[in-house]
Structure formats: structure tokens, C-alpha cells
Amino acid sequence: MTDTGRAPSAPQRFRLDRRAFSDDQILAEEISRVFRPTWQLLGFATELPDIGDYVLRRLVDDGVIVVRNEEGGISVLLNSCSHRGTQLCRATFGNSAHFRCSYHGWTYANDGRLVGVPSVRKNYPANFEKSEFDLRRARAEIYRGFIFATWSEDAPPLPEYLGEFRWYLDAMLDLTGGEWEVYGPPQRSAVKGNWKISTDNFAGDGYHMGTTHQAAFEQSIYGSSLADGTLGVGELDLMAVNISTPQGHAVRAGYVIEKGDPRLPERSPDEVAYLGYPREEWPRFTESQTYEQMQFNSHCEVVHGTVFPNAAFLSVSHDHAVGRTDDPLTKYFVWRTHTPLDARHTECTYWTLVPTSMSEEWKQRSYAFQARSQSAGGILFEMDDFENFARIDAAISGSVADTAPADLSLGLGLGTPLPDFPGPGAAEHLTLSEHNQRGYYRRWSELMETPGVN
Ligand code: FES
Ligand code: FE
């Protein structure tokens, strides 16, 4: 990565070697340097309500069983028999007190202990100790229902790892009273393109909206009903705030503002607007938040970002689904992970979160909006994005193409600092900027120990 300047005080370039998006040797280094010391999102506690509930997930390049064990805690177990390595559990979700290997029948409790070995007394040496063959357990921690895991013994505790991002996660969850649940089964898909391409897009790429997602704007699904004057502003504009944290996490929040007045005014409880939620809920929402959270959430039309290294989220309102123009403006909140299958293929997993307190009818509508736009079958957004991501993959790995750098200098040095922004971190305003992507790749480069990082 290089950063050269038009003037010494005003760097004008931020570039990244394109081989980072296509080279399996770089992925091998990422697995040990970027993924191994960090926490990865694996799922949500509400997916596992009962003792014995489990789901299969990938923890970087290993399959794991995420299970609610007999003590009610969450175990993350390597899904590979300690005898000869057979995949232990094959059903992607279910409920079980034990996992029995299909090859020779070794059986494990759902906390990973080896509890059954056929013929152990007769045919194994007297000093055979079952406890030496328990399943490998990853460290697992839950923050507000989000299940994270890591193989590292040295990673900091999860709240510390989340750092300043924790404030933003709390604010997004507290908006509606605090309790959220996964709605419907999560989706998975395998897509072309390096895992970082989709991740950095979620960190802060507002730039692609006008071209990649032009069709969505033309169909007026993006908040056209906001222009009805009820927000207390005249002609509307969108003001984006970018926050990048030292841990590489990112938040980009877009606020509805008065056109030509690029400020975020303080809102009193009487002036708030929680876009995409029924108006009768707004007073209840205000009561559940701190004053600062209220300022962050009010008039926020879209918020998206990244939890380093490979989790991303988006909360946005749509006016209607394609072909249905009578739906009210409705928010959805999708979380996703982008896990490398190899340097050029990625597994995406999608979860829709809904506030537990909302009506079933609202939850269904929120889920439907998310599924139709940001999911494996998302006909407007996801398909548009992955078409471009696959085209990046198709075009960057030739012997000439991979010597050209990827450029990330949009908005470099041009953002307006917002010292009074209610959340922590260095917030800056510039609606079209690669500020957050630069923060993401700075952290990536620190861990990869790439020379020449700015
Ligand atoms: Fe699992 Fe033999 S490989 S019991
Ligand atoms: Fe997009």
C-alpha cells in the first residue's frame, strides 16, 4: 500500500496491491495473521434457544459445531472426530445431546468431551485416556446475543476487541428496546470474489449506489415516502458520517437532512424520527435510549459497517418491495459474514435480526424486504453487487492486471471532522468517501505486516 502526496501535508493516494484479492499464498498468510488473532462472528444466541440446539458454521477454514451445551452455555467444537478426523456432524442444524462418529462410533457430549469409545476396555491400551481426545474447543464469547469465537488464547476479551464499535452496536440494539432475535433461518451462498471485496464494500462504500444500484432508485424503493414533509425538513438530502476505529471496525451512517444545510441538528424527543418503524412506537423507543443514542438513531435512514475482519451489517428502510407499492417504509437489519473458501471464492452467511417487541406482521415484512434485496436471492442489491465482485475477480488476476494497484483515495483528506458527533471514534462527514475502507485496510496491513502502509 502506498500513500504519496501532491503536497507533503495532503496525501492524495491510498493504494492496495491487487494480489491481496486473488493470491492463495496471501490468503494462507491472512489465515494465520488476520483471522487467527481476531474474533469471528458465528451466529446468534436466539438461534439456539434449547439445550442441545446446534448449527454448523465455518470458523475461518475449519468446520465447527456451535451448540448450546447441557449447562446452557455455548460450545464451539471442531467438527472433526479426534480419532481419524471424520466430519462428525453433517446436518446443518438440529438438536442433540451427543455427536457420534459414523466411522468407528466414538461419541462426544455436546460440550466436546469424548464419552464413548467402542471396545475401549478390550482393545485399547490400559493407559488410554478418553479426556485426551476431547474435541478441540474454540474460545466463545457472547455479546448481547452475538456469538463470536476464536482459536486464539491471546485475543483480548470480546468487549475489548469490539472497542469503540461496541457503542454503535449498543445504540443500534437499544433503539428498539434492546431485545433482538434472528428471524427465519439464516441463508448461505458461495460467491465468486475474494472475501475482502464484499467486506470493504459494507465498511463504507456509498460511492457505488448511484451506478450499481441505480435500478433501485429508479423504482423508488428507497424512502420516497420520506418526502411527505412529516420529518420537519423541507427538501431532503442525505448526509453520511464515517467512523473508522483503530481495530479496523467501521460504521457509516446516513442521515436525512435539509438540503443545503449539511449539519446534524440536535433533536429533542419531540423531533425524533426512527425511520422505517411505526410512528406509534417512537416514544417507547426514545425512552429505551440514552440521549446520545437518540441523537445517533434519529433521522438515520441507513447505517452499515464492518466488524473486522469479516462480519458486516446493514440497517436500511425500504418503501416497498418490487411490485408492492402499498407497504409502509420498513427497516431491516441484516448481519452477514464473508468467509474465504479460497482466495477467489467466499461463503456468505446472512441473518435477519428483528426487534423481539415488534408485531409478527412487521417482522415478516422486514424479513421479506431483506430477503428480496440483501440475501442470496436479493434481486436488486445483492445480485447487482455480486455481479461487480465477480467481474473484479475475473479481471484482476492476469499477469498485467495484478500489477496495477487498487485505488482507495476517494475523499482522502477532504472529510469534515465532527467532534460533537454523539458516538466515539473519529467521526467525519463526507458522503462519498473511502475513509472507512482505508481504516479497514490499515488494520489489515498492520496484521499482515505489509511494508509501506500509511
Ligand atoms: Fe471417528 Fe474413527 S474416525 S471414530
Ligand atoms: Fe451494494
Side-chain angles (χ1 to χ4, degrees):
M1 194 180 297
T2 59
D3 197 351
T4 57
R6 203 163 42 192
S9 59
Q12 300 299 316
R13 294 282 183 272
F14 192 102
R15 290 176 165 176
L16 189 66
D17 189 327
R18 281 187 189 172
R19 287 171 297 182
F21 300 102
S22 62
D23 186 329
D24 277 312
Q25 183 55 41
I26 290 178
L27 175 62
E29 288 183 29
E30 286 175 326
I31 287 172
S32 60
R33 293 171 181 244
V34 174
F35 284 99
R36 198 64 83 215
T38 56
W39 289 90
Q40 280 93 53
L41 178 66
L42 288 187
F44 294 84
T46 63
E47 294 183 85
L48 308 168
D50 298 321
I51 301 286
D53 284 350
Y54 72 85
V55 291
L56 300 190
R57 297 281 147 81
R58 287 174 65 83
L59 182 49
V60 198
D61 53 348
D62 285 297
V64 291
I65 308 168
V66 185
V67 56
R68 191 169 291 279
N69 59 41
E70 299 299 305
E71 271 68 57
I74 300 293
S75 296
V76 176
L77 310 172
L78 185 66
N79 190 12
S80 174
C81 179
S82 303
H83 182 214
R84 302 272 281 280
T86 308
Q87 184 187 16
L88 200 54
C89 180
R90 283 177 285 185
T92 52
F93 65 93
N95 183 286
S96 186
H98 296 93
F99 299 102
R100 184 170 183 269
C101 181
S102 60
Y103 195 0
H104 310 97
W106 285 23
T107 301
Y108 303 84
N110 61 16
D111 62 359
R113 282 175 302 119
L114 178 63
V115 293
V117 176
S119 301
V120 68
R121 293 221 179 94
K122 240 167 111 182
N123 294 89
Y124 271 98
N127 63 352
F128 179 87
E129 280 290 340
K130 286 206 289 279
S131 61
E132 292 176 15
F133 295 90
D134 290 348
L135 294 176
R136 283 280 306 275
R137 297 179 185 89
R139 277 175 70 195
E141 286 193 29
I142 302 178
Y143 184 76
R144 297 197 64 166
F146 289 58
I147 303 171
F148 283 80
T150 178
W151 294 114
S152 169
E153 292 303 320
D154 302 323
L158 179 60
E160 186 183 325
Y161 177 78
L162 293 174
E164 290 155 332
F165 178 79
R166 201 149 59 98
W167 188 93
Y168 294 96
L169 181 57
D170 287 341
M172 291 187 283
L173 298 177
D174 288 343
L175 163 62
T176 59
E179 296 296 320
W180 292 72
E181 63 197 38
V182 174
Y183 195 82
Q187 297 186 15
R188 277 190 306 169
S189 66
V191 295
K192 276 206 106 182
N194 183 269
W195 66 277
K196 297 187 295 301
I197 297 173
S198 39
T199 309
D200 88 42
N201 174 275
F202 275 84
D205 202 309
Y207 193 34
H208 74 299
M209 294 299 295
T211 44
T212 298
H213 301 309
Q214 187 182 2
F217 288 107
E218 286 174 354
Q219 295 186 48
S220 304
I221 72 163
Y222 249 158
S224 56
S225 66
L226 293 177
D228 65 1
T230 54
L231 292 179
V233 291
E235 199 179 349
L236 304 179
D237 204 352
L238 195 74
M239 169 181 172
V241 177
N242 307 303
I243 303 114
S244 171
T245 80
Q247 302 85 2
H249 314 316
V251 176
R252 179 175 180 270
Y255 293 90
V256 174
I257 57 161
E258 182 95 35
K259 198 170 184 89
D261 185 9
R263 291 175 307 131
L264 282 181
E266 275 191 46
R267 312 280 182 182
S268 75
D270 295 337
E271 297 170 319
V272 295
Y274 304 120
L275 305 176
Y277 293 105
R279 190 168 292 245
E280 60 270 22
E281 301 283 0
W282 294 1
R284 175 172 73 85
F285 289 180
T286 293
E287 279 177 21
S288 73
Q289 302 170 72
T290 66
Y291 180 81
E292 289 76 18
Q293 288 175 329
M294 182 180 83
Q295 302 302 325
F296 174 74
N297 284 318
S298 182
H299 287 70
C300 187
E301 155 66 2
V302 58
V303 57
H304 57 90
T306 302
V307 177
F308 190 90
N310 70 326
F313 66 92
L314 168 70
S315 177
V316 67
S317 320
H318 285 197
D319 255 350
H320 57 82
V322 177
R324 294 176 50 168
T325 54
D326 54 349
D327 285 324
L329 189 69
T330 303
K331 190 80 94 185
Y332 65 76
F333 193 17
V334 61
W335 276 80
R336 44 196 289 160
T337 51
H338 308 133
T339 305
L341 297 169
D342 59 33
R344 299 176 59 179
H345 294 87
T346 299
E347 179 182 271
C348 293
T349 305
Y350 311 78
W351 297 265
T352 306
L353 294 192
V354 294
T356 302
S357 61
M358 297 300 285
S359 70
E360 186 62 22
E361 184 272 335
W362 189 93
K363 291 175 184 175
Q364 278 183 15
R365 193 167 65 244
S366 178
Y367 179 76
F369 280 19
Q370 183 264 319
R372 291 174 197 179
S373 54
Q374 293 282 346
S375 76
I379 53 175
L380 277 175
F381 294 87
E382 197 73 357
M383 294 301 107
D384 295 340
D385 284 323
F386 277 111
E387 174 69 16
N388 281 320
F389 301 163
R391 288 184 191 211
I392 291 174
D393 178 75
I396 62 169
S397 51
S399 56
V400 172
D402 84 353
T403 61
D407 184 81
L408 292 147
S409 50
L410 179 72
L412 187 61
L414 299 175
T416 306
L418 298 174
D420 297 330
F421 193 67
E428 68 162 53
H429 161 52
L430 189 61
T431 295
L432 300 184
S433 174
E434 286 163 339
H435 173 84
N436 286 3
Q437 291 98 315
R438 288 188 287 273
Y440 177 82
Y441 284 115
R442 275 193 197 98
R443 182 61 184 143
W444 179 86
S445 300
E446 280 169 16
L447 293 172
M448 292 290 281
E449 297 175 9
T450 304
V453 175
N454 180 288

